[in-house]
Amino acid sequence: MTTDATAELEAHGTAERLRAAGLKVTAQRVAVFEALSGHGEHLDAEAVFERVRTCLPTTSLQAVYGVLGALSTAGLLRKIEPAGSPALYESRIGDNHHHLACTGCHRVVDVECVVGEAPCLTPSNADGFQIHTAEVTFWGLCDACQRTTASEPQG
C-alpha cells in the first residue's frame, strides 16, 4: 500500500471518529487529531500547531486552540493542566490513567491507575457527587534530570 493510500485510510478513520462525536469534518480537525493520535505524547497547543502547519501552512495558532477545545469537549482528546505548565493534550482517552511530571524538564508520562478500577481514588466525603474520574499528577525528577543534577558541581 502506498503512503498516500495509507494516509487516506487514516484520514477516513479520523473522519468517522469526528462524525461519530457529532463534529463536522474539516481539514484542520483531521490534522490536529492526527497530530496527537497514536503517539502517546502530551503536547501543548504550540507543539500541535508546529505539526499541523507542515500540512496546512495557512492554519493559525488560534485555529488550533479552537480545534483542541472542540476535540476535548467531544471526548476525542484529553486535556490535562499540570500546575505551572501550559495545557497539554493527549489522545489516550477512555481510561482513568494518571501522570508523572518532571519538575526539571517538564516531561509528562502516563502511569496506570494507582489502585483498582476507575476512579482509582475515593474521597473521604463525596458530598453527593457521583465520582467518575480521579486526576492525579505525581511530581518529581525524571532519570535524565536526576543524572544532570547529580553531575552538576556542588558549589
Side-chain angles (χ1 to χ4, degrees):
M1 186 176 294
T2 67
T3 303
D4 290 341
T6 303
E8 189 174 313
L9 285 174
E10 288 173 359
H12 178 71
T14 298
E16 291 304 313
R17 290 190 69 188
L18 290 169
R19 283 189 198 97
L23 296 174
K24 181 179 175 184
V25 178
T26 66
Q28 290 175 331
R29 285 181 176 162
V30 169
V32 168
F33 186 76
E34 290 182 352
L36 282 158
S37 293
H39 301 288
E41 299 171 297
H42 304 84
L43 301 177
D44 64 20
E46 290 189 17
V48 173
F49 172 65
E50 289 302 319
R51 286 186 178 179
V52 168
R53 75 179 193 169
T54 61
C55 61
L56 295 175
T58 60
T59 299
S60 69
L61 178 58
Q62 187 60 41
V64 168
Y65 272 107
V67 170
L68 288 168
L71 295 176
S72 298
T73 299
L76 294 173
L77 295 179
R78 182 175 178 188
K79 177 182 178 181
I80 61 171
E81 300 180 77
S85 298
L88 300 174
Y89 299 86
E90 65 178 331
S91 61
R92 184 175 171 184
I93 58 169
D95 68 355
N96 192 201
H97 68 278
H98 305 298
H99 297 96
L100 300 169
C102 181
T103 55
C105 66
H106 305 288
R107 183 171 66 109
V108 175
V109 297
D110 293 336
V111 64
E112 297 306 318
C113 202
V114 179
V115 176
E117 296 180 17
C120 308
L121 304 172
T122 305
S124 60
N125 178 3
D127 199 27
F129 282 72
Q130 180 182 7
I131 307 297
H132 57 79
T133 305
E135 192 169 302
V136 176
T137 302
F138 298 95
W139 295 90
L141 286 176
C142 67
D143 284 345
C145 288
Q146 288 177 59
R147 285 191 301 274
T148 301
T149 302
S151 67
E152 289 177 356
Q154 302 299 315

